[in-house]
Amino acid sequence: MMITVERREQMIERLVQWIDAKGLRSPAILFLGASKPLAPVGSHLLLLFQPLFGFVGPMFGWFKDSRALADYALLLEDEVSVDRILAHLEHPSAE
């Protein structure tokens, strides 16, 4: 399953905005940079815990539906997408 380029960019923008709103830009850069080789494993863990996040997530405003969670798992599985997220976080003026 693939995510369209437009959908991928929209998801990256929403993720970066959420990270900024929570004040987590620096920790996110550090975490994504350090764990980039393990991103596919992390995305599979996200899918593994999908039932839990589907139940708990809406209470915290994380994911509105399971499709969004699966899309973010696909996004984080792709190394190019992780690089794009890092680029948006490291250079906010490039957005």
Side-chain angles (χ1 to χ4, degrees), residues 10-33 61-63 72 75-76 81-82 84-90 92 95:
Q10 178 188 29
M11 291 171 63
I12 290 172
E13 284 294 323
R14 290 185 69 202
L15 182 60
V16 170
Q17 288 172 0
W18 183 85
I19 289 169
D20 278 340
K22 301 295 182 187
L24 298 172
R25 183 177 287 268
S26 294
I29 291 170
L30 180 65
F31 177 77
L32 284 173
W62 293 339
F63 300 105
Y72 276 103
L75 180 78
L76 294 174
S81 295
V82 174
R84 295 274 303 141
I85 294 168
L86 281 169
H88 280 274
L89 289 171
E90 291 172 345
E95 297 174 9

Side-chain angles (χ1 to χ4, degrees), residues 26-91:
S26 294
I29 291 170
L30 180 65
F31 177 77
L32 284 173
S35 65
K36 190 165 50 167
L38 298 174
V41 174
S43 71
H44 289 283
L45 285 173
L46 193 58
L47 289 175
L48 178 68
F49 291 111
Q50 186 174 7
L52 176 66
F53 288 138
F55 177 71
V56 177
M59 287 188 254
F60 295 104
W62 293 339
F63 300 105
K64 304 295 185 223
D65 59 18
S66 61
R67 181 73 239 153
L69 183 63
D71 285 348
Y72 276 103
L74 285 172
L75 180 78
L76 294 174
E77 186 175 34
D78 181 28
E79 187 175 335
V80 173
S81 295
V82 174
D83 288 338
R84 295 274 303 141
I85 294 168
L86 281 169
H88 280 274
L89 289 171
E90 291 172 345
H91 308 289

